[in-house]
């Protein structure tokens, strides 16, 4: 939670497996996100991917086209930030 909103980019003491499985439907990256972790989010035009950065840190590359489909809250925050 950040300012009362659920966020991806934060410390996840226990993984929200339902959340991650929405993005990783076939479970290709389960070994990356099924852990305590500092989560970083970056944006790409490529398919969604997860990269293990260290034993307690991983990066999610979210496809910008998927933001409106499933994660509109992130998109809204990005638009609000761009107006500042």
């Amino acid at each position: 939670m950040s300012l009362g909103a659920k966020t991806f980019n934060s410390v996840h003491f226990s993984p929200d497996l339902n959340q991650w499985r929405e993005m990783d439907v076939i479970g290709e990256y389960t070994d990356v996100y099924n852990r305590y972790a500092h989560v970083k989010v970056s944006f790409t035009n490529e398919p969604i991917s997860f990269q293990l950065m260290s034993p307690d840190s991983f990066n999610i590359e979210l496809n910008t086209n998927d933001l409106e489909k499933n994660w509109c809250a992130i998109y809204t925050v990005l638009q609000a930030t761009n107006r500042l």
Side-chain angles (χ1 to χ4, degrees):
M1 291 279 215
S2 176
L3 299 174
K6 191 170 183 180
T7 62
F8 293 132
N9 58 328
S10 62
V11 177
H12 292 239
F13 292 95
S14 59
D16 183 345
L17 296 177
N18 291 328
Q19 170 185 281
W20 300 134
R21 288 180 182 141
E22 284 182 30
M23 295 180 229
D24 180 30
V25 178
I26 63 171
E28 179 180 358
Y29 301 106
T30 302
D31 60 329
V32 174
Y33 56 74
N34 190 11
R35 65 183 67 227
Y36 163 91
H38 298 263
V39 179
K40 177 185 171 199
V41 177
S42 56
F43 299 96
T44 182
N45 292 323
E46 301 298 320
I48 292 173
S49 65
F50 293 72
Q51 297 86 31
L52 187 62
M53 308 304 284
S54 68
D56 68 346
S57 175
F58 67 86
N59 183 59
I60 307 167
E61 290 195 350
L62 293 176
N63 183 292
T64 55
N65 294 321
D66 289 335
L67 294 177
E68 292 179 4
K69 177 175 68 175
N70 292 316
W71 308 289
C72 61
I74 294 173
Y75 181 74
T76 302
V77 169
L78 287 173
Q79 283 193 336
T81 303
N82 287 334
R83 290 186 197 141
L84 296 177

